[in-house]
Amino acid sequence: MKKVVANPMELRDAIRCEKPNISITGGFAEMMQPIVTQQEADVEKMDLPTFMKLALDPATMETLTTAYQVAMKNDAQGLELECVRL
């Protein structure tokens, strides 16, 4: 079953719970696109709101980039980032 997330706290919790399929949708997907497509994305150095920097700590981002494969879907409903656990 796919876990749909729409904010950084939900994403952090889904990663910590090791959900096998995570779907990032809406405006949050657009905000996350450059972060998840770069291998060495440093959230601390990016111009993001403080709540995002706190939720997307280095350990969470490390898990996202190493344990999940991210695919982009761009359809009529907008951008969706689909993360599948390896």
Side-chain angles (χ1 to χ4, degrees):
M1 186 170 173
K2 183 173 22 174
K3 171 69 176 167
V4 178
V5 299
N7 63 57
M9 284 67 74
E10 290 177 352
L11 177 60
R12 178 197 61 207
D13 294 342
I15 291 171
R16 286 182 180 169
C17 292
E18 298 181 354
K19 298 290 184 183
N21 290 340
I22 302 171
S23 175
I24 304 171
T25 60
F28 183 51
E30 293 175 15
M31 197 180 317
M32 287 295 295
Q33 182 181 0
I35 296 172
V36 297
T37 54
Q38 298 174 15
Q39 289 291 30
E40 296 296 322
D42 188 358
V43 175
E44 292 298 319
K45 293 180 181 176
M46 299 180 97
D47 185 27
L48 298 171
T50 304
F51 73 94
M52 276 192 71
K53 290 181 181 182
L54 293 173
L56 302 175
D57 57 74
T60 301
M61 291 306 297
E62 176 72 20
T63 303
L64 179 63
T65 57
T66 58
Y68 286 88
Q69 179 180 4
V70 180
M72 288 189 297
K73 290 180 168 178
N74 203 351
D75 57 14
Q77 296 175 348
L79 180 67
E80 177 184 354
L81 300 175
E82 189 171 317
C83 308
V84 180
R85 188 155 177 85
L86 301 174

